[in-house]
Amino acid sequence: MDQGRAGKVEVARVGFVLVLAVVGAAGCATAGAGGGDRAGGGGNQVGAPAPDITVESLAGKSLGLADYRGKVVLLDVWASWCGPCKQELPVLDDLAKRLRADGVEILAVSIDQDRANVTKFLRVRPHWSLTIAHDPKGRIADTLAPDKMPTSYVIDRAGTIRYVNSGFEPSDAPEIERRLLEVAKR
């Protein structure tokens, strides 16, 4: 896991990340399969406006969810230490290639503290079609409070969360794609 920064704030942050890791690992074993409508940290936001969160792309560009208004967005919260994230990200990348023409954008935000871990993780593919961002301070996780890692949020053109998939199993992919296309056709 990433090395922490000094100070009391960092001690709390590391504790939060450890809790996420433990919850994520537990969620990893029980993830997916229609998790979008379950109550809980990730599921209770369906129908709510997506928060206007700003993160940084790996190229150093500032990205805000408000910048995506008018497009359907799949916002994915992931980390390099999460096993299911390693399965999910290539699947989402394939979706990004296929669904871009339908007005769908995929924004995958890593909450790793150390950017080097993100970069190392991404070497599994020579090119990524989805947009990858980094949130080392974990503001996105603090705001959305996902109950499992990874968690994906389907956001409509008006900025409303329409579906949440907590955790990931390969069998979740067709449902995620179906939900994205359903929202894109509205």
Side-chain angles (χ1 to χ4, degrees), residues 63-150:
L63 300 171
L65 277 180
D67 299 336
Y68 288 90
R69 292 290 192 271
K71 296 181 180 182
V72 174
V73 177
L74 183 132
L75 172 65
D76 188 59
V77 181
W78 67 281
S80 66
W81 44 260
C82 165
C85 299
K86 293 175 184 180
Q87 291 181 304
E88 181 199 44
L89 218 53
V91 170
L92 294 182
D93 191 52
D94 292 341
L95 284 176
K97 283 182 222 170
R98 284 199 315 273
L99 302 182
R100 186 162 279 137
D102 293 304
V104 174
E105 294 289 330
I106 298 180
L107 174 60
V109 181
S110 167
I111 61 167
D112 284 270
Q113 290 177 339
D114 188 345
R115 188 182 186 115
N117 291 339
V118 178
T119 304
K120 181 180 175 185
F121 176 91
L122 295 174
R123 289 186 192 135
V124 299
R125 283 191 172 201
H127 174 74
W128 290 87
S129 294
L130 51 77
T131 301
I132 298 170
H134 186 218
D135 180 20
K137 294 181 181 174
R139 286 178 286 217
I140 198 163
D142 291 345
T143 302
L144 292 171
D147 57 353
K148 294 181 183 178
M149 291 296 290

Side-chain angles (χ1 to χ4, degrees), residues 19 21 28 35 56 77 87 101-103 106 113 128 140 144 149 154 159 165-166 170-174 177 184 186:
V19 167
C28 294
E56 187 176 296
V77 181
Q87 291 181 304
D102 293 304
I106 298 180
Q113 290 177 339
W128 290 87
I140 198 163
L144 292 171
M149 291 296 290
V154 175
N165 192 74
S166 298
S171 61
D172 293 342
E177 182 170 3
R186 289 184 186 168

